[in-house]
Amino acid sequence: MCGISGIISYNLSQDEIHLRLEQMGALQAHRGPDDKREAVYTFRSGFIGFGFRRLSILDLETGMQPIVSQQDQSAIICNGQVYNYLELKATAPEMGYSTKGDIEVALNMYRKHGLDFLNMLNGMYAGAIYDHINKKIILFRDRFGIKPLYYTEWENNFFFSSEIKSLLKGNMRPTQINRDRIETFFKYRYVPGTDTMFDGIKKLPPGSYLEYNLDSKKYEIKRYWDYKLDRIIPDMKLEEASEEFIRLFRDAVRIRMRSDVEVGTLLSGGIDSSAVSSEATVTKPDIRLFSISFNEDKYNELPLIEEFIKKNGNRFRLTRQHTGLCGSEMLKELPEIIKSIEEPISLGTILPTDQVCRMAGERVKVVLTGEGADEIFGGYRKFLLETAASVYHGLSIPEQKVIEEIYPELKSYMKIRSNNPVERYIQSESLFTGDELKELTGKDRLNDQFPIDATPYLSGNEHPLNAAIAMETRARLPDYVILRLDKLSMRHSLEARTPFLDYRLAEFAATLPVDFKVNPANNREKYICGNSFAMYSILDKETAFRKKQPFTIPMADWLSEPSRLPECIKEVMFGDMVKKQGIINPDILKRHISLLSKEDVGPNTLVSEADRIYAVIIFTLWYDLFFS
């Protein structure tokens, strides 16, 4: 929806704050190309500055921010959408409204209910409230961290922003790499938790708020929501569960279709985006569908998409389909994509995601996507593997043999499987081993521990599957999966909405018996989703029960053809860039390149030499962009 910036200062002048807000906003123009505004407020010891860049989607005429209450002079800026604003507004008609949009409703909920207002919001948001009466600033972020919010302190001032580049510009601090997180990145492919790869730049955690006291100059961060997965209802009936799932899913899509501009969907070959697109046609029969294809058959989902649309023609007969081709030439876009994401994340799908967002952004301002279903309902193979491991010793010998055939990696996993759910999750995520990291970085002692602040609420009573889901939704979902969706959609001035991350759906999923999510014996993931979509004719049965194929790219194929690589990639793999930076060992990179092969590598391959090389490429290009 937009980009926000803020400054709390005790030594800068009002004019200087205004200038810095303008500069911070200019670096976020892609997040809000339609309008901009800066406002500076005075308090006893200094000034507060709020900056806003707007992507106009809802309440086109009166929805500009910051919004200031005429009753008590409290003010708000917020990036994102509060989808249930109409329902909330109906509960407090006496508060008085000068706009027709959602963010003033959020401000009035705070004015009426205090910090409890955060439990009332259903949406994706990261914002700030200036509480004039109580002399404090409240920063807040949605439950799953769909919208980003960064902050830092420098020279007796406090700064926050939707993006890191804006923050670096506003606070004028020297840009330095966070060397404590280099091994973290290479082990997990991203940096989970509150740290970033920029020294001194922090992320406000998902489901949290930061309360800054203007008198004491101190702040504290508290969680207002934890995803608790120890609440299974064991005697739940599948038919009743499917009915409730569909009710919540339909409403999640319905309220995310609220917009004063055109809405489309991102459609892949998976059941999640297919179901979202199908349900969206109920509200908008002529909705635009945006998809990406590949030349390599085993990665190309376009035939599945076309087959799905044909089989469900009654729902899709008026839709408009737009497709693009993602080939190895997209690798030349990596530097600009990395600059937009700002944090290094070694995720191949940033390439097709950027391409489909570019295509959609040229035609609409809003899209619905299928992100979140795999994390909430257990859609990844690692969840099946974890569940299989948890029941293995209770099976008969014939049943164990069946499970071993389905999961050839099960025995080796069980040999190292920790009793600690946090350690188990880490074991499944490692890109490089400890010894490999020492060789790559040249360090004898590693700082590669999983950050404590990226671990979720765990009571100890969770089923192993739900413990893994808790880890996934607290770390990888916000800091890897959704980070790339937000930054790349907003790079093209496009708002991406995620119905499966409606907190009501997530809290319902927490009560489901494990076998409603995954069944390792039948190799079925997200069972409740497929079963319900078929039962209620949102999807045809073949699509609903289609085996999941990871949405990824043919990286091994592309990197195995050096002559077709763009110069920026050649410079990393075969030039002097890695050596000049002096952070990782170029000889170790050369060894991985010598082992590179596209044989026996496909969409289901978890870790390959191409993945390791790609991580080095991402990191090296990122370092070159921000520090060289």
Side-chain angles (χ1 to χ4, degrees), residues 225-505:
W225 187 80
D226 282 298
Y227 190 26
K228 298 180 179 179
L229 285 136
D230 56 354
R231 301 178 296 156
I232 289 177
I233 301 175
D235 57 350
M236 186 183 296
K237 301 294 187 291
L238 180 59
E239 186 174 337
E240 295 173 356
S242 291
E243 181 180 356
E244 180 64 3
F245 169 80
I246 289 297
R247 184 188 72 81
L248 291 171
F249 171 75
R250 283 177 167 163
D251 197 58
V253 173
R254 179 185 66 84
I255 61 176
R256 282 161 181 77
M257 290 294 291
R258 289 174 171 170
S259 171
D260 292 332
V261 297
E262 186 178 357
V263 179
T265 70
L266 303 187
L267 175 61
S268 70
I271 72 167
D272 310 323
S273 63
S274 297
V276 168
S277 297
S278 177
E279 187 60 28
T281 63
V282 175
T283 301
K284 186 173 176 56
D286 64 341
I287 198 165
R288 296 180 189 266
L289 315 171
F290 301 95
S291 306
I292 287 294
S293 65
F294 295 94
N295 286 320
E296 295 80 2
D297 289 342
K298 59 185 176 182
Y299 293 88
N300 186 23
E301 295 185 346
L302 188 58
L304 296 177
I305 294 169
E306 292 174 340
E307 180 184 357
F308 161 68
I309 291 175
K310 184 178 180 180
K311 286 186 175 180
N312 297 272
N314 59 323
R315 285 194 175 225
F316 288 88
R317 60 188 179 86
L318 297 178
T319 58
R320 293 161 287 172
Q321 189 177 7
H322 304 269
T323 60
L325 177 66
C326 184
S328 60
E329 67 278 0
M330 275 295 294
L331 287 169
K332 71 179 185 296
E333 299 290 332
L334 263 183
E336 288 302 313
I337 291 173
I338 292 168
K339 185 188 294 185
S340 295
I341 296 175
E342 302 182 306
E343 300 183 67
I345 58 172
S346 184
L347 179 61
T349 54
I350 61 177
L351 295 166
T353 299
D354 183 71
Q355 190 171 2
V356 76
C357 287
R358 181 193 300 274
M359 181 170 54
E362 292 170 350
R363 296 166 176 84
V364 298
K365 282 188 172 182
V366 182
V367 289
L368 271 58
T369 82
E371 267 81 4
D374 288 326
E375 291 78 10
I376 299 297
F377 292 98
Y380 296 126
R381 183 175 176 84
K382 61 185 173 184
F383 293 141
L384 286 164
L385 184 66
E386 181 59 41
T387 308
S390 71
V391 301
Y392 181 83
H393 291 299
L395 301 176
S396 65
I397 292 178
E399 289 173 328
Q400 288 180 348
K401 289 183 178 180
V402 171
I403 288 288
E404 290 168 10
E405 289 179 4
I406 298 173
Y407 309 100
E409 69 272 42
L410 179 60
K411 277 196 168 182
S412 60
Y413 171 61
M414 291 185 65
K415 288 179 181 178
I416 63 168
R417 184 174 180 261
S418 170
N419 291 324
N420 184 313
V422 176
E423 292 179 1
R424 285 203 303 270
Y425 180 80
I426 293 168
Q427 288 169 341
S428 71
E429 292 295 293
S430 297
L431 180 61
F432 291 92
T433 66
D435 289 340
E436 289 171 336
L437 278 176
K438 288 179 180 179
E439 288 184 328
L440 187 68
T441 62
K443 294 183 179 181
D444 294 327
R445 299 181 63 182
L446 297 175
N447 183 19
D448 64 339
Q449 296 301 308
F450 196 82
I452 294 176
D453 57 27
T455 56
Y457 167 89
L458 290 172
S459 68
N461 297 319
E462 292 85 2
H463 184 280
L465 168 68
N466 282 342
I469 287 175
M471 289 292 298
E472 187 81 8
T473 53
R474 174 59 189 89
R476 190 174 176 273
L477 176 65
D479 297 330
Y480 189 65
V481 175
I482 294 298
L483 174 70
R484 131 263 181 199
L485 180 65
D486 172 81
K487 295 292 182 70
L488 294 180
S489 60
M490 294 309 297
R491 162 170 146 87
H492 300 291
S493 304
L494 178 72
E495 179 172 285
R497 300 178 175 181
T498 51
F500 283 107
L501 291 179
D502 189 303
Y503 79 95
R504 299 170 301 169
L505 259 179

Side-chain angles (χ1 to χ4, degrees), residues 13 135 143 147 158 184 189 214 218 246 302 314 351 379 447 468 502 538 549 600 621:
S13 69
K135 301 295 185 293
R143 293 170 179 83
K147 285 297 174 182
F158 185 91
T184 306
R189 312 184 202 212
L214 293 170
K218 295 180 179 179
I246 289 297
L302 188 58
N314 59 323
L351 295 166
N447 183 19
D502 189 303
I538 291 175
Q549 174 175 310
D600 300 320
L621 291 176

Side-chain angles (χ1 to χ4, degrees), residues 91-318:
T91 68
E94 77 282 358
M95 297 301 291
Y97 297 87
S98 60
T99 73
K100 299 176 182 178
D102 57 328
I103 301 306
E104 186 180 25
V105 175
L107 176 61
N108 279 337
M109 291 300 105
Y110 171 76
R111 292 177 56 233
K112 183 175 182 178
H113 300 284
L115 288 167
D116 287 342
F117 91 108
L118 291 167
N119 295 307
M120 303 173 181
L121 306 184
N122 186 350
M124 56 175 188
Y125 42 82
I129 291 174
Y130 171 34
D131 187 333
H132 177 76
I133 294 176
N134 295 302
K135 301 295 185 293
K136 59 185 179 181
I137 301 291
I138 306 295
L139 305 187
F140 57 94
R141 194 175 177 203
D142 65 72
R143 293 170 179 83
F144 285 112
I146 303 169
K147 285 297 174 182
L149 189 55
Y150 302 94
Y151 68 93
T152 191
E153 293 180 281
W154 185 249
E155 295 181 340
N156 203 33
N157 300 302
F158 185 91
F159 304 82
F160 62 89
S161 182
S162 300
E163 295 199 353
I164 293 173
K165 290 187 294 291
S166 171
L167 204 55
L168 294 171
K169 182 69 175 179
N171 66 28
M172 305 295 184
R173 71 184 297 155
T175 305
Q176 295 181 330
I177 187 173
N178 183 356
R179 293 187 176 273
D180 290 339
R181 289 299 173 212
I182 293 174
E183 299 99 289
T184 306
F185 165 75
F186 280 110
K187 186 168 185 175
Y188 304 112
R189 312 184 202 212
Y190 68 108
V191 178
T194 59
D195 278 353
T196 70
M197 283 298 294
F198 295 85
D199 187 46
I201 305 294
K202 297 283 189 177
K203 293 173 279 191
L204 183 65
S208 301
Y209 66 88
L210 182 153
E211 189 171 13
Y212 189 102
N213 187 304
L214 293 170
D215 290 331
S216 68
K217 304 181 185 179
K218 295 180 179 179
Y219 65 86
E220 59 179 348
I221 296 173
K222 294 183 179 179
R223 293 191 64 79
Y224 67 86
W225 187 80
D226 282 298
Y227 190 26
K228 298 180 179 179
L229 285 136
D230 56 354
R231 301 178 296 156
I232 289 177
I233 301 175
D235 57 350
M236 186 183 296
K237 301 294 187 291
L238 180 59
E239 186 174 337
E240 295 173 356
S242 291
E243 181 180 356
E244 180 64 3
F245 169 80
I246 289 297
R247 184 188 72 81
L248 291 171
F249 171 75
R250 283 177 167 163
D251 197 58
V253 173
R254 179 185 66 84
I255 61 176
R256 282 161 181 77
M257 290 294 291
R258 289 174 171 170
S259 171
D260 292 332
V261 297
E262 186 178 357
V263 179
T265 70
L266 303 187
L267 175 61
S268 70
I271 72 167
D272 310 323
S273 63
S274 297
V276 168
S277 297
S278 177
E279 187 60 28
T281 63
V282 175
T283 301
K284 186 173 176 56
D286 64 341
I287 198 165
R288 296 180 189 266
L289 315 171
F290 301 95
S291 306
I292 287 294
S293 65
F294 295 94
N295 286 320
E296 295 80 2
D297 289 342
K298 59 185 176 182
Y299 293 88
N300 186 23
E301 295 185 346
L302 188 58
L304 296 177
I305 294 169
E306 292 174 340
E307 180 184 357
F308 161 68
I309 291 175
K310 184 178 180 180
K311 286 186 175 180
N312 297 272
N314 59 323
R315 285 194 175 225
F316 288 88
R317 60 188 179 86
L318 297 178

Side-chain angles (χ1 to χ4, degrees), residues 4-59:
I4 64 171
S5 306
I7 300 173
I8 304 171
S9 178
Y10 298 85
N11 55 30
L12 296 176
S13 69
Q14 188 168 355
D15 288 343
E16 177 65 20
I17 291 174
H18 198 280
L19 175 62
R20 292 197 187 193
L21 288 173
E22 285 185 333
Q23 294 171 335
M24 294 169 77
L27 290 172
Q28 299 187 91
H30 51 281
R31 297 188 77 95
D34 296 330
D35 205 350
K36 70 182 185 73
R37 181 183 292 170
E38 297 82 30
V40 181
Y41 311 103
T42 304
F43 67 100
R44 185 173 59 185
S45 305
F47 298 102
I48 298 159
F50 279 180
F52 185 73
R53 296 290 309 214
R54 188 182 189 201
L55 179 65
S56 302
I57 290 172
L58 200 64
D59 186 16

